Amino acid sequence: MFISEAIAATGTAATVEPNPMLGFIVQLVIVFAIFYFLLIRPQQKKMKEHEDMLNAIKPKDEIITGGGVYAKVVKAEDAVLTVEIANGVEIKISRSSVREVVSKQ
């Protein structure tokens, strides 16, 4: 008689069956961690940098709007910027419509 058959016959060894739900949960956590570090976290960082850039806009900065218009900031208020798009032509735009700051003086 083999040892495994002897243990099985006596019933003293406990057999542990793997839980299939545990493997699924571990895989789910790993996939979520990958998505977090590759997609969610970099996007949040980029949004934070853009928000900081918007809050730092001050008069005499040159900007590009979301529509691609180059403008010079004349007056900066809380949510509204007054910008000059041509000599003597000033318009008001939303601060959130600024895509990037070209130069700071």
Side-chain angles (χ1 to χ4, degrees):
M1 190 183 268
F2 292 107
I3 294 175
S4 61
E5 292 175 349
I7 292 174
T10 59
T12 58
T15 57
V16 178
E17 295 181 17
N19 187 356
M21 264 321 257
L22 181 64
F24 175 73
I25 291 173
V26 169
Q27 289 177 354
L28 191 62
V29 168
I30 290 172
V31 168
F32 180 74
I34 290 171
F35 271 104
Y36 178 76
F37 284 109
L38 293 180
L39 297 175
I40 298 170
R41 189 167 179 231
Q43 185 65 26
Q44 287 177 342
K45 185 177 179 183
K46 187 175 179 181
M47 287 175 57
K48 175 78 169 127
E49 290 173 357
H50 189 265
E51 183 179 331
D52 291 342
M53 184 261 315
L54 290 179
N55 291 332
I57 293 175
K58 59 186 181 305
K60 297 185 181 177
D61 285 345
E62 292 182 7
I63 62 170
I64 301 175
T65 66
V69 177
Y70 285 77
K72 184 175 181 179
V73 178
V74 176
K75 184 178 176 184
E77 297 174 0
D78 288 337
V80 178
L81 299 173
T82 303
V83 297
E84 183 179 38
I85 56 174
N87 291 334
V89 180
E90 293 181 359
I91 60 172
K92 291 184 178 184
I93 63 170
S94 171
R95 187 180 288 261
S96 63
S97 68
V98 175
R99 183 173 56 195
E100 69 179 276
V101 176
V102 177
S103 67
K104 293 187 175 188
Q105 296 180 357

